[in-house]
Amino acid sequence: MRPPALATLGLLLVRLLLLPGEAAQKPTPCQSCRELVNKFNQGMVDTAKKNFGGGNTAWEEKSLSKYEFSEVRLLEIVEGLCGSSDFECNRLLEEQEELLEAWWLRLKKEHPDLFEWFCVKTLKVCCSPGTYGPDCHECQGGSARPCSGNGRCSGDGSREGDGACQCHPGYRGALCSDCVDGYFSSLRNETHSVCTACDESCKTCTGPTNRDCIQCEVGWAQEDGACVECDPTCVGCTGKGPGQCKECVPGYSKESGQCTDVDECALPGKACARTGENCYNTPGSYVCVCPEGFEETEDACVPAQPAGHEVTEEDPARLPIREDL
């Protein structure tokens, strides 16, 4: 059942020609073993009732019983396991074909879980779910529900990792049983801990609404027992709208009780420093731009020069517009 020698040689040549980036992505031994087992299990599904269905039920049941554990069926499964370009699958199959055959013919009934028998107990390249590392220790929180079911155990199911919990969003702690800011505990007992997102107005909370906030999120303020959204012009507020601001953000000032935009271009002091610049007011700020046909220098807007024009120190068009000191 082994691949022909020429086919094996071809696979080796393909492997040698792999680009460095492809070689770096070589699967771990556990990944290769798990993939081979998955393909073997699929092969068993595909061959479960192959070539039967003629209508003679008694004959089919007798024939299927013989076929179920036969070498003929094993050969059909193995022949369809690996694609011609799947080097890792073919390599592992060639190295461990006798083990697979022994499991199929003698050990299948005693050890029905091929992954557990082949990858975990025999080759020892994987661990059972909920365990990790070279000795397959239990993950934090136990193998039944690692990390309280709220995170991933580092190295889970492999001979790698350190077993530390990598928590899902909303959870923290060594066992991922506590809630981060922005979440509250909606269920907690001896076996389960569930964290649910607070209302968007809350930084911390005890429940799902804006009235359950312990502390308001930035841009929101406590008003009548609830966190309300401050107007973008506010620094702190007592309610919605620009008229409820405690203070105004830079570029705004209070007029008639609400924060309004300051027109910096209309202020007595000159907003734009360069000579000849135009000032344009914007919400909360302003911009300074040279007129069309002019370009910026360090302290003035000067007429733009045609392409190819050679500038000299005596060029009056480039001299700063200021009095000599």
Side-chain angles (χ1 to χ4, degrees), residues 163-199:
C165 289
Q166 300 164 349
C167 300
H168 297 325
Y171 297 89
R172 64 180 175 84
L175 298 178
C176 301
S177 56
D178 300 320
C179 303
V180 301
D181 284 355
Y183 288 76
F184 69 97
S185 179
S186 55
L187 173 65
R188 191 180 186 92
N189 56 35
E190 293 181 356
T191 58
H192 288 73
S193 176
V194 178
C195 295
T196 302
C198 298
D199 184 81

Side-chain angles (χ1 to χ4, degrees), residues 31 35 83 116 139 141 173 215 287-288 313:
Q31 289 171 335
E35 182 66 20
E116 185 74 15
C139 290
Q215 182 180 1
V287 293
C288 299
E313 290 185 1

Side-chain angles (χ1 to χ4, degrees), residues 35 39 74 159 186 209 226 239 286:
E35 182 66 20
K39 290 178 178 178
L74 173 62
R159 299 273 169 164
S186 55
T209 74
Y286 64 97

Side-chain angles (χ1 to χ4, degrees), residues 310-325:
E310 186 175 342
V311 179
T312 65
E313 290 185 1
E314 291 76 21
D315 191 338
R318 296 293 293 185
L319 291 177
I321 305 175
R322 64 182 181 186
E323 293 182 358
D324 293 334
L325 297 177

Side-chain angles (χ1 to χ4, degrees), residues 116-127:
E116 185 74 15
W117 178 83
F118 184 59
C119 300
V120 178
K121 294 181 177 178
T122 305
L123 297 186
K124 297 183 178 180
V125 293
C126 296
C127 289

Side-chain angles (χ1 to χ4, degrees), residues 82-128:
C82 306
S84 59
S85 60
D86 191 339
F87 175 83
E88 290 300 325
C89 180
N90 280 287
R91 179 194 61 77
L92 185 58
L93 177 60
E94 185 176 12
E95 290 176 357
Q96 309 299 341
E97 188 175 355
E98 290 183 2
L99 275 178
L100 290 173
E101 185 175 350
W103 175 80
W104 177 266
L105 297 176
R106 299 190 301 275
L107 303 170
K108 187 167 178 251
K109 288 185 177 180
E110 183 181 352
H111 303 281
D113 188 333
L114 177 58
F115 173 77
E116 185 74 15
W117 178 83
F118 184 59
C119 300
V120 178
K121 294 181 177 178
T122 305
L123 297 186
K124 297 183 178 180
V125 293
C126 296
C127 289
S128 300

Side-chain angles (χ1 to χ4, degrees), residues 51-70:
N51 299 325
F52 295 94
N56 188 331
T57 305
W59 179 85
E60 284 184 5
E61 288 179 354
K62 183 178 179 181
S63 299
L64 281 172
S65 179
K66 293 180 180 179
Y67 174 75
E68 184 179 2
F69 299 102
S70 69

Side-chain angles (χ1 to χ4, degrees), residues 120 126-144 146 153-164:
V120 178
C126 296
C127 289
S128 300
T131 62
Y132 74 95
D135 300 316
C136 295
H137 291 303
E138 281 196 342
C139 290
Q140 295 289 331
S143 59
C153 165
S154 173
D156 191 351
S158 74
R159 299 273 169 164
E160 302 174 356
D162 60 6

